[in-house]
Each structure stands twice: as structure tokens, then as C-alpha cells.
Amino acid sequence: MNNSDSDSPVVALVPAAGRGVRLGENMPKAFVAVGGTPMVRLAVDGLLASGAVDRIIVMVPAELVESAVALLPPSNAVRVVVGGAERTDSVRAGLAAAPDAGYFLVHDAARALTPPALIARVAAELRAGHRAVVPALPVVDTVKSVDRDGVVTGTPDRAALRAIQTPQGFAADLLYAAYETNVHATDDAGLVERLGANVRTIPGDPMAFKITTPLDLMLAETVCNAARRV
């Protein structure tokens, strides 16, 4: 694997093999349409539009490889590979497909409306020398910790909390090392944190929200419809 430097390729990994049970659709979430276009296509279009990504690897279920190739842009910069049962398995498949990467952006297909400018900012921070970069938004709700019975055990100070978005950016060697471990984390930055690496936050964007529930899908449709009218 190559060490990262300012001229090394930026490779985006798009895990798109998840089933998306909470969305209530009869297909993998990434293939659900928003404004008439599948989420995975919107996510890939945003990555390309950023001008900050050299290649994109999309990880999908084995039975949907041909479908994904057909719906994604016909570009030499976009490659489809077979993902895994879990998100971490899909990311590992993407890592294996890009041994020459200097930097990785791991981007959820479900954050289909992420502005290209945010993607470019993450990549720029990596090229400026930061080894792990994530977009973050302040938490606006009061957050409680609870026990197994649902009884409140504490109220963290929300001023010190952030909601983390994607793309999450990493120096390639750091992400490779993180995925050599078998610990559990809810995002890639969580794996990197376990190695003791510093993770830099930059301001996120409300449009990078994750489409997870039917209500999220309604919001995304509304945003797309409003954009068409402008």
C-alpha cells in the first residue's frame, strides 16, 4: 500500500449492499429512488461533481452488480464490486479493490443529497495533511443516556456533542490499519479512533442527512421537488 501524499489518488468507497429494513422498501436502500433517481446514482453523481475524487468504488449485493453498472454513470472512474453482508465487509471489499489509493472517502449512498462542495472540503483537508476528517453538525436535541429498562442515567452536555456525516476521509494506510482489527464501531472514524488517531471535524451540511426512515425519504423527495421548481 502506498503512503499518502498530496499527489496520491483519492478513492471514494460507497457501501451500497445494505438492505435498509427501516426504510420499509422491498429492495436495498441504495437502489430506492429519490426524485426519480436511485440514491446510489445521486451519491456517485455528487462525488463526481465535487471534482475531488479520482475513482469511485461502489459495493453492492452480488445479484445487483449488473443493475448497478447499468444505472451508474458510464465512466472509467466508477467501478462496481461485490459487497458483503455487513457494512464493514463491504468497505473491506472496497479497500481490496484500491491498493494504490493515497486517501479514501467513505460515503453512505443514503446521504444521497450531500453537496459536492462538502465532499471537496473533506478531500482538501486530507490533502492538507489531516489523516482523518469527518463532517459534523451540532446536536440540537437534548440527549439522554438510559439503562436497559429505559431509565435515564445521565444528560450529556450537548455543546460537546456532534452528529457525524459522510463522506469520512482517511489517509489510506490509516484506514487499512483500522480494518485489520475486528472491533465493532458504528462508523469508520470509530475504528480509526480505536487506533489512537486524531479525527478532525469540519462543519457539515444539513443536506447531507441520512435517508433511513420513510419520513427521511419524504423529506428528500420534497427537497428534490423544490429544487426542480427553482
Side-chain angles (χ1 to χ4, degrees):
M1 73 190 66
N2 295 341
N3 291 327
S4 304
D5 60 53
S6 60
D7 298 321
S8 296
V10 175
V11 178
L13 305 181
V14 183
R19 294 297 169 181
V21 175
R22 285 176 290 178
L23 196 57
E25 300 287 337
N26 60 356
M27 67 182 75
K29 177 167 60 175
F31 290 81
V32 173
V34 173
T37 303
M39 283 191 239
V40 65
R41 172 63 188 254
L42 291 172
V44 168
D45 284 348
L47 288 163
L48 291 171
S50 74
V53 175
D54 297 293
R55 295 199 309 281
I56 301 169
I57 299 174
V58 183
M59 297 79 77
V60 305
E63 68 274 15
L64 290 175
V65 169
E66 290 185 6
S67 297
V69 170
L71 66 84
L72 290 174
S75 168
N76 291 333
V78 181
R79 179 183 176 190
V80 178
V81 302
V82 176
E86 302 293 335
R87 185 181 186 279
T88 51
D89 299 324
S90 290
V91 175
R92 283 193 177 95
L95 292 174
D100 63 330
Y103 308 96
F104 284 109
L105 300 184
V106 187
H107 188 39
D108 293 333
R111 297 186 188 272
L113 304 183
T114 299
L118 177 58
I119 297 167
R121 289 204 305 272
V122 174
E125 291 284 333
L126 290 174
R127 291 199 181 279
H130 300 286
R131 289 173 52 78
V133 182
V134 298
L137 289 177
V139 174
V140 296
D141 293 321
T142 296
V143 177
K144 303 285 187 182
S145 58
V146 300
D147 63 20
R148 292 183 179 180
D149 297 320
V151 177
V152 170
T153 59
T155 305
D157 178 8
R158 69 184 181 191
L161 300 177
R162 295 293 183 272
I164 302 303
Q165 301 176 318
T166 72
Q168 297 187 356
F170 307 96
D173 59 343
L174 182 60
L175 193 59
Y176 280 122
Y179 269 86
E180 288 174 358
T181 66
N182 289 316
V183 298
H184 174 74
T186 56
D187 69 348
D188 302 284
L191 294 175
V192 166
E193 291 160 29
R194 300 289 182 89
L195 299 179
N198 290 328
V199 178
R200 176 176 172 81
T201 63
I202 65 170
D205 192 295
M207 289 299 295
F209 68 95
K210 190 173 185 180
I211 303 169
T212 302
T213 67
L215 183 60
D216 298 330
L217 185 57
M218 289 175 59
L219 174 59
E221 291 279 3
T222 300
V223 170
C224 287
N225 291 336
R228 289 195 198 98
R229 293 195 293 268
V230 172

